[in-house]
Amino acid sequence: MRRLRRLAHLVLFCPFSKGLQGRLPGLRVRCVFLAWLGVFAGSWLVYTRYSSYSELCRGHVCQAVICDQYHKGIISGSICQDLCELHLVEWRTCLSVTPGQQVYSGLWRDKDVTIKCGIEEALDSKAQTDAAPRRELVLFDKPTRGTSIKEFREMTLSFLKANLGDLPSLPALVGQVLLMADFNKDNRVSLAEAKSVWALLQRNEFLLLLSLQEKEHASRLLGYCGDLYLTEGVPHGAWHAAALPPLLRPLLPPALQGALQQWLGPAWPWRAKIAIGLLEFVEELFHGAYGTFYMCETTLANVGYTATYDFKMADLQQVAPEAAVRRFLQGRRCEHSADCTYGRDCRAPCDRLMRQCKGDLIQPNLAKVCALLRGYLLPGAPADLREELGTQLRTCTTLSGLASQVEAHHSLVLSHLKTLLWKKISNTKYS
């Protein structure tokens, strides 16, 4: 009876015709092998996914290290008490894409927030017990005890000059940094406050948030403790397929990607409103109060929007100051222009005679954004607008050359695009 039951089970999962009954042993072995392979593949998938998650999502490590430094009096900040004593910061969904930069959605005092914290030093340490001391020595090592407020001001100004360029607006930015450091408003900056703000300045995104804090399309900074900081809640993603694991995205055919964008994404008029906000953000990055910034990873995954479909830059990690990009390119040896790439797509030409990278990028921000908008706006665009919109976007993607040479054309093309989109949605519920 047992043999018959096993045979019935085999027939159920590995059906075969009567003519193949004579080859039952071979089929049985094959089916058992396939079943084993399926179980092995499934187990491996679960294991790798769990391992990847446990490596990427280490918010508990981040909080433990930060609170350890806070309780020792090494760091301070406006949310330290809420984070480490009152436990009013709730960590929710893990959004990290790299182990060194922890990103979580969260809740703080009834506000939806994004929690960000870097733990490179702790993760690099082999021993768990050595993680906190290593972080203290590497990250919170400046300024040292005995540094005067004047010396700290000069130290901050020199750092900003190196990263943003020698701009006349920098002393005002230094004043904002010192004002932020004095979070308890006692008119003095303690060593713990200075160490915390200095550590924050080493975070590229925080430096960008500080530089763009008056711009409506960058997330607002809400508070910090050491180099952990909170910003406004996570904006909605502009393209739902961007949330797929990176290994699966190339497997989607372009037609399916376009269909997902139209089915799951906002209606076209809302997409037009988001696009207008993205174009305004490009304007804000071009010759702002604290210099020019380059978008060095131009993907829809970084495009976010609020509940009212106002554009918000979802991730500033890959937005770089012009001074930082030029410093990276200066004197860099190259064989091809690919050797002159900062980030993902900030690429400069290679002087093959001198075998050195040139200082100006091949594509300005606007050209890269327009290439992105062709796939975002043209599908589902109104018939009476599609041709003209396609023409303007194609013209926009051809922008190149020195920033000084394209500035007037840059502004004109950007203005035409915004006007074209705004005309279509103005005086409607979408405006």
Side-chain angles (χ1 to χ4, degrees):
M1 287 297 292
R2 290 180 182 174
R3 186 179 181 86
L4 286 174
R5 284 175 187 168
R6 286 199 300 267
L7 182 60
H9 187 267
L10 185 63
V11 169
L12 179 63
F13 288 96
C14 299
F16 47 85
S17 65
K18 292 181 179 179
L20 295 176
Q21 289 180 6
R23 287 187 282 169
L24 178 61
L27 282 174
R28 184 174 181 177
V29 170
R30 187 177 302 171
C31 287
V32 169
F33 173 73
L34 289 174
W36 176 85
L37 189 63
V39 170
F40 176 79
S43 302
W44 179 254
L45 185 63
V46 170
Y47 170 76
T48 53
R49 185 167 182 81
Y50 173 78
S51 300
S52 175
Y53 180 86
S54 62
E55 182 182 352
L56 281 176
C57 302
R58 306 191 65 173
H60 61 289
V61 175
C62 192
Q63 183 171 0
V65 171
I66 286 291
C67 291
D68 175 66
Q69 304 303 292
Y70 167 66
H71 290 309
K72 289 178 178 177
I74 295 168
I75 61 172
S76 64
S78 57
I79 63 161
C80 286
Q81 188 176 27
D82 286 357
L83 177 71
C84 302
E85 295 178 1
L86 303 178
H87 305 291
L88 295 178
V89 179
E90 180 183 339
W91 300 63
R92 289 186 168 177
T93 306
C94 174
L95 305 170
S96 309
V97 293
T98 59
Q101 179 67 19
Q102 295 294 296
V103 183
Y104 279 75
S105 64
L107 192 68
W108 174 60
R109 295 188 177 273
D110 298 323
K111 294 178 186 175
D112 288 322
V113 296
T114 303
I115 308 168
K116 299 191 177 183
C117 175
I119 57 173
E120 295 95 335
E121 293 81 11
L123 286 174
D124 285 344
S125 179
K126 297 292 183 185
Q128 290 284 347
T129 56
D130 189 45
R134 180 183 173 91
R135 185 176 177 79
E136 174 187 338
L137 291 172
V138 174
L139 184 62
F140 303 118
D141 60 340
K142 292 180 181 180
T144 55
R145 187 173 299 277
T147 302
S148 68
I149 188 65
K150 181 181 178 181
E151 290 171 330
F152 182 61
R153 182 187 294 272
E154 292 172 353
M155 177 177 163
T156 304
L157 181 60
S158 297
F159 175 83
L160 293 176
K161 280 183 180 179
N163 286 273
L164 299 177
D166 192 359
L167 304 168
S169 56
L170 290 188
L173 189 58
V174 173
Q176 291 181 38
V177 171
L178 295 178
L179 196 63
M180 181 183 298
D182 182 25
F183 71 93
N184 55 9
K185 311 301 180 190
D186 63 354
N187 295 319
R188 58 183 291 272
V189 177
S190 68
L191 183 61
E193 289 172 337
K195 281 179 179 287
S196 298
V197 170
W198 183 257
L200 281 169
L201 288 174
Q202 312 311 306
R203 302 290 174 200
N204 180 63
E205 187 182 37
F206 180 84
L207 182 59
L208 269 293
L209 282 173
L210 191 64
S211 304
L212 301 171
Q213 62 183 329
E214 296 176 2
K215 310 299 183 182
E216 63 175 305
H217 300 303
S219 296
R220 193 162 56 91
L221 183 68
L222 300 178
Y224 68 94
C225 180
D227 72 327
L228 178 150
Y229 57 97
L230 305 184
T231 64
E232 292 175 311
V234 180
H236 301 282
W239 185 46
H240 295 265
L244 289 172
L247 290 176
L248 294 183
R249 291 176 205 161
L251 302 179
L252 290 178
L256 181 56
Q257 293 180 12
L260 279 174
Q261 180 179 302
Q262 293 185 54
W263 296 339
L264 302 178
W268 188 88
W270 290 130
R271 277 186 274 147
K273 184 179 180 182
I274 296 166
I276 291 171
L278 176 55
L279 292 170
E280 289 173 349
F281 181 68
V282 171
E283 282 184 298
E284 292 169 356
L285 295 181
F286 196 66
H287 290 325
Y290 302 114
T292 296
F293 296 88
Y294 294 130
M295 298 171 69
C296 293
E297 186 174 353
T298 318
T299 66
L300 284 174
N302 290 333
V303 177
Y305 55 90
T306 65
T308 55
Y309 297 94
D310 293 312
F311 168 77
K312 284 283 184 184
M313 192 66 180
D315 186 8
L316 288 171
Q317 285 287 352
Q318 297 300 324
V319 177
E322 181 182 30
V325 176
R326 287 189 178 277
R327 187 170 63 249
F328 171 82
L329 294 172
Q330 187 175 13
R332 190 175 186 84
R333 303 288 293 174
C334 64
E335 296 291 337
H336 310 281
S337 61
D339 300 326
C340 305
T341 305
Y342 183 97
R344 178 175 171 175
D345 55 22
C346 280
R347 182 172 296 184
C350 174
D351 185 333
R352 294 194 178 183
L353 185 62
M354 301 294 295
R355 293 191 175 182
Q356 284 191 349
C357 298
K358 296 182 179 178
D360 296 290
L361 299 185
I362 295 172
Q363 273 190 310
N365 290 332
L366 184 58
K368 292 188 286 188
V369 164
C370 286
L372 194 69
L373 290 180
R374 288 179 70 178
Y376 186 62
L377 285 179
L378 291 179
D384 60 337
L385 180 72
R386 190 177 297 116
E387 184 177 352
E388 185 178 358
L389 179 61
T391 300
Q392 289 209 24
L393 287 173
R394 279 193 300 273
T395 301
C396 176
T397 56
T398 62
L399 285 171
S400 62
L402 297 171
S404 58
Q405 294 175 358
V406 302
E407 185 169 351
H409 191 200
H410 179 287
S411 301
L412 189 63
V413 170
L414 193 148
S415 177
H416 282 172
L417 264 174
K418 283 174 54 181
T419 302
L420 182 66
L421 293 171
W422 190 249
K423 272 185 179 179
K424 196 63 184 176
I425 63 171
S426 61
N427 301 319
T428 68
K429 66 177 182 178
Y430 301 105
S431 60

